[in-house]
Amino acid sequence: VKFNNCAGNKGVRYETNSLDFKVRADGTLFAAHHVQMPSKQLILVVTAWDPQTLGRWEAMVRFLVAEKSQHSGHKPKGRKTLPGDLVQQQSDTLLPWRQHQSANGLRRQKRDWVIPPINVPENSRGPFPQQLVRIRSDKDKEIHIRYSITGVGADQPPMEVFSIDPVSGRMYVTRPMDREERASYHLRAHAVDMNGNKVENPIDLYIYVIDMNDNRPEFINQVYNGSVDEGSKPGTYVMTVTANDADDATTANGMVRYRIVTQTPQSPSQNMFTINSETGDIVTVAAGLDREKVQQYIVIVQATDMEGNLNYGLSNTATAIITVTDVNDNPPEFTTSTVKQPQKGGRTSVVITQDLTRCSPLSAGSRNWGGMGLPTTTCTRALLPSHFGFSQPEGPREKIQHFAAAVDYEMNRAFMLTVMVSNQAPLASGIQMSFQSTAGVTISVTDVNEAPYFPTNHKLIRLEEGVPTGTVLTTFSAVDPDRFMQQAVRYSKLSDPANWLNINATNGQITTAAVLDRESDYIKNNVYEATFLAADNGIPPASGTGTLQIYLIDINDNAPELLPKEAQICEKPNLNVINITAADADIDPNVGPFVFELPSVPSAVRKNWTITRLNGDYAQLSLRIMYLEAGVYDVPIIVTDSGNPPLYNTSVIKVKVCPCDENGDCTTIGAVAAAGLGTGAIIAILICIIILLTMVLLFVVWMKRREKERHTKQLLIDPEDDVRDNILKYDEEGGGEEDQDYDLSQLQQPETMDHVLNKTPGVRRVDERPIGAEPQYPIRPVIPHPGDIGDFINEGLRAADNDPTAPPYDSLLVFDYEGSGSTAGSVSSLNSSSSGDQDYDYLNDWGPRFKKLADMYGGGEED
C-alpha cells in the first residue's frame, strides 16, 4: 500500500485490523504466520496514523485467494498466480464453474472459481427488481440447466430479498437495502439439470450492503448536568457528552465529531469551555469562573458525522448545564461594629438584629455557609461566657440568634458582649483576607411580670391517716420574683381528686376538709397528691403551680374479714376439712398473725365444730361430732388481727353438710339435700311437674280436636254463629184442659212423601229442603288456604248463588208437619195492609238467591 501525508511520511505508522497480517514501514503487507484461509477472499482495513498530529487515515484492501498451481510437482515461487480469465470477474457474467481440456483429449474438472463479493448500496431507489450479477455454467451449452439460490434473504427470513432467474442465471435484488438492519448476506448458488440432478457444486455468494450516510448522531441524553468549582484553572475537566451514530463506524458516515455552538452567558468570556471533538470531553479553557457573578452556564453542543464536515454530514444538538459550585473565598463580615439590643427579662433567647454581610455573598445552603462555626463571645463584665450560645445562620444576611440562660432583671439589667463570626472551613488558597469578623453587642434587660413559684415543688409531708376534719397540715406558700413590683399572691386548688383538702387563699395554709383514708382508691403507694395554683395580680397576671404530696401512715382501722364465705363438708368426720384465712385492708404490722376462734354462744357451735390453727394466717374448720345431718349451717367465727389495739370481727361462713362417696366428694342427692330440701319436698315437686305436663297435653289434644271439627263444617261461618241456632226449641207446651182431646197424629211427619213428589212442577214449599234428584254442583273447598282467603270467599259466594239447595232455604224453620187439613179456622182473611195488585216479576232479576221468592209470588194466581 502506498501513502503520502504531504510531509514526507516521517514517523507514519501502519497497522491492520487483523492479527494474522502486518504492514512494514514501506507499506508492504505480509502474513505474520502460516494462515489457513477459510474463504476465497479477504478484506482488511489498513490504517496509517501520525503520532505527532494524531491524524488517522484508513484504506480498505480486498484480496482474492488464488489456487496454487501444481504442474509436475513444480511449485513456482515469487510470483502471483491468477486465473487467466480474471477480467470476467468484473463483467456482468460470472463463470464460477470452469472446465479445461487436457492434453490427451480428456476433460478434467478444475477447482471452482472464487466469486468476489457483490456490493449493493443501501437505500437504492430502483427500479426493482434490480439486476446484480449473472451466474452461468459453461455446461449450459450441452444441457438445460436450472439455477437457484438459498440462504438468508432468499429462502430464509427475510424472505425473497434476492431472486434468480432459473433459466438465465440473472440474480436480482427486489427491494431497497438497509445496512443498519443487516450489513451482509451469505447465499449459495446451485445448478441442476431438468431432472433436479446436481450439475455443479454449490458456490458461495457474499453480498455486502454499502453504507450510506442516512442516520443522524443521537445523544444519549438531551440534557447533561455538570459542575465545576469557581476559580478552576484552564483545562479542568467538567463533563462528557456522548452521541451515537447508527451508520458504519469504520467509514466517515459513522465518525462523529463534537463542537460547542453557543455558550450562555458569555461572561467573563464567550469561550469559557471547549470540547474534545472526538471524545466529547468538556473542559475549561479560560480562567475567571466566579460563582458570585455567574452561577450557571448553558452550553449547546453539536455532534456531526462525516468526521464533522458540516457540508455533507448530519448533525444533532444537546444541552449541557454547567453549575459553578461555591468555594470558601469570602470571609463573613458584620455591617456595623456595635449593636444595641433591648431584651425582656425572664427570656431564654435574645435576637440580635445585626446582619451578616460578605464581600461577595455565598449561596444559601452552600457547604461553606452551612459550615460556619459557632461564634465565640467575650464579656466586659463579671458574667460567665457560658450564659450565652449562638445558633448557626442559615444564609447570607441572616439575623444571628443568641440563645442564653434566662436573664433576670432583678440581678442584671444590661450585658455587653463581643461577638466573633468565622467560617468553620478554611478560606480557599490564595485568598489574602481575614477569616473572621467581630462586633460589640449591648443587651439591655427590661422588667416583665414573672409568675410566682413554689420554692419546694414537689412538697412531701407525712402524717397518720384518720386525722379529724379541719386539721392544719402545712403552709404551702409561693414566692413572687418581681421584687420591684408591689403584687399580691392568691392561692387556689387546681387538683384535689378526693376533695380532702382546703387552702387559705391569702397565706396558703392547707387544712383537711374530710378524713384522710389510706385505704382509699385515690391513694397510690400510700401517697395522696394534690396540685395548687398561685397567681399574682400583675398585668398581665401570671401564675405558677405546686404539687403537695401527703404520705399517709397506716393505723389499725380495719377489722379482718374471714375467707372463704362458703364451703362444704361431709356429714361424717374424715380428712375433709375447710381451710380458712382472713383478709385485712391494713398493712403490716396491723394485719396478721390472726386469731381464729368459735364463739361460746350459741353453744351448738362449739359442740358441733372445732378450729385447728395451722399458722399465723390459716386455720382449719372441721366437725367435732361423729355425724351431722345434711343441710346448710351458718358457722360464726371470730377473727382478730395483731394491731395495736387489735380489732376483731365475727364473720359467718355458710357450710353445706352433705353425704359423701368413698372419695370424700358430695353426691348429687346429698348436694340437693344439703341445699335444704327433704325427700317429701322433692316428691311433691315431681308430682306437680307431672300434673302440669298432663294438663298441657290434654289442652293440646282438645285444641286439635276442635280445629278438626271446625274444618269438617261446610259452612263458611262458625257453627256458633248459625242463624238456625238463634231460635231454640226448649219444649212443647200442651194446651189447656179443654184442649186435651186432640189428635196428635196430625202433627206427626207423614209416612210417605207422595203428596210432595206429586206437586205441580215449579210449585213447592220454600221452607223445606228439596227432595228428589237435584243438580250436582262442584264441591266447594272446606279448608281455605291462608294465602288465598279472598279467592276462597269469592268462590264460595259464586257457589252459593248458583246452588238452590243452599241457604237461605231454611230461613223459615220447620218445627213439625201440620197435616193436610186443620180443625182451626182459615186465616186467609188476614191480608196485607197494602191494597191492590203488585207486580213481583222484578224479583226474577235479583239472581238465584231470590228465585224461591220470585216463584212464590209470581205463581200466586195459578195457586
Side-chain angles (χ1 to χ4, degrees):
V1 293
K2 295 181 179 180
F3 174 74
N4 185 4
N5 66 347
C6 301
N9 297 348
K10 293 181 179 181
V12 175
R13 300 179 183 179
Y14 301 94
E15 61 184 21
T16 68
N17 62 345
S18 174
L19 299 178
D20 298 331
F21 297 89
K22 294 183 180 180
V23 183
R24 295 188 178 94
D26 59 353
T28 303
L29 182 69
F30 65 95
H33 52 269
H34 179 75
V35 180
Q36 180 70 31
M37 304 304 298
S39 60
K40 301 193 177 179
Q41 73 166 354
L42 177 65
I43 298 177
L44 296 178
V45 176
V46 180
T47 303
W49 63 282
D50 191 345
Q52 296 180 355
T53 63
L54 299 181
R56 299 177 68 89
W57 297 267
E58 293 181 354
M60 183 180 296
V61 180
R62 178 179 293 113
F63 295 93
L64 298 180
V65 182
E67 297 179 354
K68 297 180 180 179
S69 59
Q70 300 177 357
H71 296 284
S72 303
H74 175 71
K75 298 181 180 179
K77 299 182 180 179
R79 58 177 295 184
K80 300 178 181 177
T81 303
L82 295 177
D85 297 332
L86 182 61
V87 67
Q88 290 187 359
Q89 297 179 10
Q90 307 298 330
S91 66
D92 183 57
T93 302
L94 299 179
L95 296 174
W97 303 284
R98 297 188 59 84
Q99 295 182 355
H100 299 274
Q101 182 83 23
S102 62
N104 55 7
L106 297 177
R107 300 179 65 89
R108 181 172 58 88
Q109 184 172 353
K110 303 285 287 185
R111 293 189 179 182
D112 296 337
W113 281 89
V114 176
I115 304 301
I118 303 172
N119 296 324
V120 181
E122 66 172 335
N123 302 325
S124 175
R125 296 184 179 181
F128 296 99
Q130 181 179 4
Q131 181 176 342
L132 298 179
V133 72
R134 181 184 179 187
I135 302 174
R136 59 178 294 269
S137 172
D138 51 5
K139 289 184 180 181
D140 59 356
K141 298 178 182 179
E142 303 173 0
I143 59 175
H144 294 285
I145 297 178
R146 291 293 181 263
Y147 303 97
S148 63
I149 56 175
T150 60
V152 176
D155 60 346
Q156 299 178 19
M159 306 286 286
E160 298 180 354
V161 177
F162 302 97
S163 63
I164 190 171
D165 189 329
V167 177
S168 64
R170 290 184 174 87
M171 191 170 72
Y172 302 91
V173 59
T174 62
R175 62 189 182 191
M177 309 295 290
D178 187 0
R179 192 203 67 83
E180 287 72 39
E181 181 179 350
R182 190 175 185 91
S184 64
Y185 295 86
H186 178 200
L187 303 178
R188 304 200 76 185
H190 305 270
V192 297
D193 59 13
M194 301 300 294
N195 295 325
N197 299 321
K198 182 174 67 172
V199 176
E200 303 283 0
N201 293 326
I203 62 171
D204 294 325
L205 299 177
Y206 292 92
I207 302 174
Y208 292 95
V209 182
I210 301 175
D211 182 45
M212 307 294 289
N213 189 20
D214 57 346
N215 291 279
R216 293 180 180 273
E218 296 291 339
F219 283 94
I220 297 177
N221 300 311
Q222 284 300 313
V223 178
Y224 290 84
N225 291 283
S227 62
V228 60
D229 290 340
E230 62 175 331
S232 297
K233 296 180 180 180
T236 303
Y237 172 80
V238 179
M239 67 171 68
T240 299
V241 296
T242 303
N244 297 323
D245 196 318
D247 292 325
D248 188 359
T250 62
T251 65
N253 297 334
M255 296 180 180
V256 180
R257 298 295 182 264
Y258 303 92
R259 74 184 187 95
I260 292 179
V261 180
T262 60
Q263 167 195 307
T264 305
Q266 298 181 358
S267 173
S269 171
Q270 63 180 357
N271 294 319
M272 295 297 296
F273 304 94
T274 186
I275 187 170
N276 187 305
S277 61
E278 295 185 1
T279 62
D281 294 339
I282 298 177
V283 297
T284 60
V285 71
L289 291 174
D290 190 353
R291 191 208 61 80
E292 285 74 32
K293 294 180 180 180
V294 179
Q295 299 182 6
Q296 190 178 79
Y297 289 91
I298 298 178
V299 177
I300 303 300
V301 180
Q302 184 182 56
T304 306
D305 56 16
M306 298 298 293
E307 296 183 292
N309 190 326
L310 298 179
N311 295 325
Y312 303 101
L314 303 177
S315 301
N316 213 337
T317 60
T319 302
I321 300 176
I322 302 174
T323 302
V324 181
T325 57
D326 183 36
V327 297
N328 191 18
D329 58 347
N330 295 285
E333 291 183 354
F334 284 105
T335 56
T336 59
S337 59
T338 304
V339 180
K340 293 184 179 181
Q341 173 69 35
Q343 167 63 19
K344 292 183 179 181
R347 293 201 178 174
T348 59
S349 64
V350 186
V351 178
I352 307 296
T353 56
Q354 166 62 42
D355 291 341
L356 283 176
T357 186
R358 303 178 186 278
C359 296
S360 296
L362 293 174
S363 62
S366 72
R367 67 181 182 196
N368 297 299
W369 182 260
M372 177 177 289
L374 293 176
T376 59
T377 61
T378 59
C379 304
T380 58
R381 294 193 176 183
L383 181 66
L384 293 177
S386 60
H387 279 58
F388 291 89
F390 300 88
S391 65
Q392 298 285 356
E394 297 180 357
R397 300 190 181 277
E398 288 283 343
K399 295 177 174 55
I400 303 179
Q401 193 175 28
H402 295 238
F403 292 90
V407 292
D408 192 354
Y409 175 82
E410 285 74 21
M411 296 183 63
N412 294 289
R413 301 187 182 185
F415 298 94
M416 296 184 65
L417 306 176
T418 298
V419 180
M420 179 182 67
V421 62
S422 62
N423 284 121
Q424 193 172 21
L427 292 177
S429 60
I431 305 299
Q432 303 297 328
M433 299 179 65
S434 176
F435 70 95
Q436 63 185 15
S437 179
T438 60
V441 179
T442 301
I443 302 175
S444 59
V445 183
T446 58
D447 194 13
V448 297
N449 184 26
E450 299 176 74
Y453 66 93
F454 291 88
T456 55
N457 194 13
H458 303 0
K459 185 175 182 179
L460 178 65
I461 62 174
R462 300 171 61 92
L463 70 152
E464 289 186 349
E465 64 173 328
V467 295
T469 303
T471 303
V472 178
L473 301 183
T474 185
T475 298
F476 197 26
S477 59
V479 177
D480 192 347
D482 298 318
R483 294 177 296 174
F484 301 100
M485 296 181 183
Q486 300 298 326
Q487 298 179 150
V489 178
R490 298 189 64 83
Y491 304 91
S492 61
K493 284 195 304 182
L494 188 62
S495 173
D496 184 10
N499 201 22
W500 284 346
L501 304 176
N502 288 328
I503 186 169
N504 189 294
T506 58
N507 58 15
Q509 189 178 69
I510 307 295
T511 58
T512 59
V515 177
L516 279 62
D517 186 7
R518 192 202 63 83
E519 289 76 29
S520 172
D521 294 335
Y522 298 102
I523 302 298
K524 304 298 180 184
N525 298 325
N526 301 328
V527 176
Y528 180 73
E529 191 171 279
T531 306
F532 298 93
L533 183 70
D536 60 20
N537 57 352
I539 300 175
S543 61
T545 60
T547 302
L548 178 65
Q549 294 179 335
I550 304 175
Y551 185 88
L552 296 178
I553 301 173
D554 184 42
I555 63 174
N556 192 19
D557 57 346
N558 292 280
E561 293 288 338
L562 183 68
L563 294 176
K565 299 296 183 181
E566 295 181 357
Q568 66 181 13
I569 195 172
C570 296
E571 60 186 0
K572 294 182 179 180
N574 53 14
L575 297 179
N576 191 356
V577 295
I578 301 174
N579 293 324
I580 59 177
T581 185
D584 198 325
D586 294 323
I587 61 176
D588 192 68
N590 297 320
V591 288
F594 300 103
V595 177
F596 302 92
E597 56 183 348
L598 297 172
S600 57
V601 178
S603 60
V605 174
R606 293 192 174 183
K607 177 182 178 182
N608 297 335
W609 305 91
T610 181
I611 291 180
T612 303
R613 182 183 179 90
L614 295 179
N615 52 38
D617 295 330
Y618 290 91
Q620 288 183 344
L621 177 66
S622 59
L623 287 174
R624 179 185 293 272
I625 59 179
M626 297 303 297
Y627 173 78
L628 184 62
E629 184 179 358
V632 179
Y633 296 87
D634 292 337
V635 181
I637 299 176
I638 301 174
V639 184
T640 306
D641 60 19
S642 299
N644 186 19
L647 294 180
Y648 68 92
N649 182 28
T650 301
S651 301
V652 176
I653 179 173
K654 290 184 175 295
V655 181
K656 294 181 181 180
V657 180
C658 57
C660 297
D661 54 16
E662 61 276 4
N663 297 325
D665 299 326
C666 284
T667 60
T668 304
I669 299 177
V672 175
L677 296 178
T679 304
I682 296 175
I683 295 176
I685 292 174
L686 293 177
I687 293 175
C688 291
I689 294 175
I690 294 173
I691 294 175
L692 181 61
L693 293 176
T694 303
M695 293 177 64
V696 171
L697 181 61
L698 291 176
F699 178 76
V700 171
V701 172
W702 179 78
M703 289 296 295
K704 291 290 184 180
R705 182 175 180 182
R706 184 172 180 271
E707 188 70 20
K708 183 177 181 180
E709 291 178 355
R710 291 183 60 185
H711 290 170
T712 55
K713 298 292 184 179
Q714 296 184 2
L715 297 179
L716 295 177
I717 57 178
D718 192 270
E720 296 180 357
D721 299 330
D722 195 344
V723 296
R724 289 176 291 183
D725 292 342
N726 293 340
I727 302 177
L728 304 178
K729 181 178 179 180
Y730 290 94
D731 205 350
E732 184 176 316
E733 184 179 0
E737 294 179 358
E738 64 278 7
D739 296 332
Q740 295 295 326
D741 298 332
Y742 59 85
D743 188 5
L744 297 178
S745 62
Q746 299 296 328
L747 300 177
Q748 305 300 324
Q749 184 72 20
E751 296 179 358
T752 63
M753 301 298 295
D754 294 338
H755 64 286
V756 178
L757 298 176
N758 294 331
K759 285 185 178 182
T760 304
V763 179
R764 62 184 179 87
R765 294 183 59 175
V766 297
D767 57 349
E768 63 183 11
R769 186 181 182 89
I771 300 176
E774 297 179 354
Q776 298 297 324
Y777 296 93
I779 300 176
R780 290 173 290 173
V782 178
I783 302 176
H785 191 278
D788 302 326
I789 188 65
D791 297 340
F792 171 77
I793 293 176
N794 294 331
E795 181 67 23
L797 179 61
R798 287 193 297 269
D801 289 341
N802 297 314
D803 186 4
T805 63
Y809 71 86
D810 56 348
S811 58
L812 299 178
L813 300 180
V814 179
F815 291 92
D816 207 345
Y817 183 69
E818 194 176 10
S820 59
S822 176
T823 56
S826 176
V827 294
S828 60
S829 59
L830 300 177
N831 295 325
S832 172
S833 61
S834 62
S835 61
D837 296 335
Q838 187 174 356
D839 186 9
Y840 295 99
D841 292 338
Y842 63 87
L843 295 176
N844 293 321
D845 299 334
W846 286 10
R849 299 296 296 271
F850 294 90
K851 187 175 185 306
K852 297 179 182 180
L853 186 62
D855 293 342
M856 293 174 59
Y857 285 89
E861 296 179 358
E862 297 178 1
D863 294 339

